């Protein structure tokens, strides 16, 4: 836990994640639990599945594994109620928030309160800097930028990806991009 706290103190740019990873499906979650993390919050699209896709069998397996380890899990998504509820129920998430209003902090703080934990014991995984990472950082929850799973199909997200490039460049000057596992 000391390592994570130190990294958060070093990071001063709200657009920089605490960590970045290639995929949530390859992480050593047992180690994260040993380090003191107790709750994991996830975005859906391009973090856990491709845009607008339902939960995959490997997503269901991942959340069963996380539950077995002892983690509480939450889905925090700007998507509508029907999509988020269906997805969260399919994977067995402990909590979900649709229309989360990211990068606002309310959904992050609601999830922290739901699990009665300190923010430092939680991690948020998302693929977008201007919504997921900025919101988590503003809320004080350690953030993990996940490499997007696929090509974007919506113009507004394609535009965001272009705007994210300078932030990724400057982040990568100090940190190993996509290999810096929490």
């Amino acid at each position: 836990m000391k390592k994570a706290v130190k990294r958060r103190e070093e990071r001063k740019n709200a657009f920089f994640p605490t960590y970045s990873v290639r995929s949530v499906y390859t992480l050593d979650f047992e180690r994260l639990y040993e380090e003191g993390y107790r709750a994991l919050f996830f975005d859906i699209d391009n973090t856990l599945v491709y845009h607008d896709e339902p939960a995959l069998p490997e997503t269901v397996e991942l959340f069963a594994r996380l539950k077995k380890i002892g983690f509480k899990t939450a889905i925090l998504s700007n998507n509508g109620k029907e999509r988020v509820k269906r997805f969260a129920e399919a994977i067995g998430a402990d909590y979900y928030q649709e229309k989360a209003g990211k990068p606002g902090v309310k959904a992050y703080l609601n999830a922290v309160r739901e699990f009665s934990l300190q923010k430092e014991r939680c991690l948020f995984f998302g693929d977008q800097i201007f919504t997921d990472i900025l919101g988590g950082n503003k809320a004080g929850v350690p953030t993990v930028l996940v490499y997007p799973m696929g090509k974007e199909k919506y113009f507004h997200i394609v535009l965001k990806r272009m705007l994210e490039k300078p932030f990724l460049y400057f982040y990568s000057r100090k940190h190993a991009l996509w290999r810096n596992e929490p």
Side-chain angles (χ1 to χ4, degrees):
M1 188 56 88
K2 288 179 184 175
K3 176 183 164 187
V5 171
K6 183 178 179 188
R7 268 302 300 283
R8 282 187 57 227
E9 289 171 358
E10 290 174 7
R11 185 193 71 247
K12 296 191 188 328
N13 189 325
F15 295 101
F16 286 3
T18 311
Y19 307 101
S20 67
V21 297
R22 183 60 75 174
S23 169
V24 298
Y25 293 99
T26 60
L27 290 177
D28 183 354
F29 287 105
E30 289 80 3
R31 182 180 57 78
L32 293 177
Y33 194 85
E34 288 172 10
E35 289 181 8
Y37 294 106
R38 294 297 180 260
L40 307 174
F41 310 156
F42 296 88
D43 178 47
I44 299 175
D45 292 324
N46 252 350
T47 299
L48 292 171
V49 296
Y50 293 105
H51 265 283
D52 302 324
E53 293 293 319
L56 302 169
E58 62 243 40
T59 314
V60 175
E61 289 172 21
L62 172 65
F63 276 74
R65 178 177 155 219
L66 296 175
K67 194 170 293 262
K68 185 176 179 183
I69 293 169
F71 283 111
K72 295 291 185 183
T73 58
I75 298 295
L76 307 179
S77 175
N78 284 348
N79 277 296
K81 184 173 185 169
E82 184 178 320
R83 167 140 173 79
V84 177
K85 180 179 181 185
R86 190 173 354 121
F87 193 92
E89 288 175 351
I91 62 172
D94 299 302
Y95 176 81
Y96 68 90
Q97 175 70 58
E98 76 277 352
K99 296 184 180 178
K102 298 179 292 184
V105 301
K106 186 176 180 181
Y108 301 90
L109 298 178
N110 286 345
V112 169
R113 274 192 293 274
E114 175 72 19
F115 300 138
S116 301
L117 291 169
Q118 297 171 332
K119 298 173 192 178
E120 295 77 20
R121 300 232 179 245
C122 306
L123 281 174
F124 178 81
F125 295 84
D127 67 300
Q128 292 187 48
I129 290 174
F130 298 127
T131 53
D132 301 322
I133 302 308
L134 179 59
N137 287 340
K138 287 183 348 183
V141 174
T143 56
V144 183
L145 181 64
V146 179
Y147 188 82
M149 292 180 74
K151 292 190 180 223
E152 301 300 342
K153 61 191 227 181
Y154 300 112
F155 177 75
H156 70 284
I157 299 176
V158 171
L159 181 61
K160 282 187 204 177
R161 294 283 185 227
M162 290 172 28
L163 296 172
E164 287 178 347
K165 288 185 183 211
F167 293 95
L168 293 172
Y169 170 76
F170 286 109
Y171 177 82
S172 70
R173 292 181 67 188
K174 286 190 170 185
H175 310 287
L177 192 58
W178 313 126
R179 290 176 291 170
N180 187 14
E181 297 183 4

